[in-house]
Amino acid sequence: MKFKNIFLFTIVLFAVGLLIACNPVKNSSNKATSILKAGTAIIADSRSIPNKNKYDEPIYFKASGTEPFWGLEITAENFRFTSVGQGFETFNAPHTEPIWAMDTNVKKYRSMPDLGEMKIQITQMPCTDDMSGKENKYQVTVELKRGIDKDFKTFKGCGNYVTDYRLHDIWMLEEINGQSINVPQYGKERPRIEINAEQNTFLGSTGSHDINEKIFFERGLLRFIDIAVPQNLSIAEKDFIKNIQSVTSYKLEDNRMVLFNPSDELLKFRKTD
């Protein structure tokens, strides 16, 4: 009888010990699964934002190159560089304002994070991607130096500005030079423009004639270019075209797009669905 009691007591102790040993593993596993799911959700949300990176910052310039493969994203806050090159897999630096080279369309940036230095040169010159054959508008050179390096590592490639996706819509003219428009002066309908931010094109109407041309976009700059002026325009339509050709910048607020030249507000449009 004593032997039987001792045997049963031993079995109970073994079972209790087994339960205690297993519980932390189970809790740790659940915690790891919870963290994984939360991290996955964050990544999925950030990738769904147009023209934004995983840091939820609007990107206004992208560049890439080969030998080795590398990529650059520029936001209003940061320069973010990635590559497959050893030691330069990631290299981030705070955004700085560019220095314009004299008499050329060349922008130069220099940023010095805590452990290194980054120099970027963006030149407005046609550039063909070595891998895809895609034509780009800018040649890009990135020079990086880590704190332990004596010399810069140079990366060369191509890039383009990323047109503000908020411009991508149909806009109806409301005001010109600060005055509400008189629709009958424009012919059949209210003047409008429809901007395609991905293709950097726009189409629309002066009121009685169609227009269909291109836009040029850089950070803080918007131009409507290569506009073929239709024949037999009314005075109001000619004034509309003249103002469109003079635009250099824009502001978006309250479903309105306001277009400016360096000194004046020229045109105000209302977004329409």
PDB file of all heavy atoms in Angstrom, residues 65 172 184:
ATOM      1  N   GLY A  65      19.494  52.435 -60.088  1.00  0.00           N
ATOM      2  CA  GLY A  65      20.616  52.127 -60.952  1.00  0.00           C
ATOM      3  C   GLY A  65      21.047  50.685 -60.774  1.00  0.00           C
ATOM      4  O   GLY A  65      20.467  49.922 -59.997  1.00  0.00           O
ATOM      5  N   MET A 172     -12.895  71.980 -62.607  1.00  0.00           N
ATOM      6  CA  MET A 172     -13.741  72.944 -63.308  1.00  0.00           C
ATOM      7  C   MET A 172     -13.346  74.362 -62.901  1.00  0.00           C
ATOM      8  O   MET A 172     -13.177  74.661 -61.709  1.00  0.00           O
ATOM      9  CB  MET A 172     -15.215  72.707 -62.977  1.00  0.00           C
ATOM     10  CG  MET A 172     -15.706  71.280 -63.245  1.00  0.00           C
ATOM     11  SD  MET A 172     -15.667  70.806 -64.987  1.00  0.00           S
ATOM     12  CE  MET A 172     -16.984  71.840 -65.632  1.00  0.00           C
ATOM     13  N   PRO A 184     -21.099  81.949 -70.203  1.00  0.00           N
ATOM     14  CA  PRO A 184     -21.433  82.168 -71.627  1.00  0.00           C
ATOM     15  C   PRO A 184     -20.289  82.780 -72.442  1.00  0.00           C
ATOM     16  O   PRO A 184     -20.227  82.584 -73.666  1.00  0.00           O
ATOM     17  CB  PRO A 184     -22.632  83.108 -71.561  1.00  0.00           C
ATOM     18  CG  PRO A 184     -23.285  82.786 -70.259  1.00  0.00           C
ATOM     19  CD  PRO A 184     -22.147  82.518 -69.327  1.00  0.00           C
TER      20      PRO A 184
END
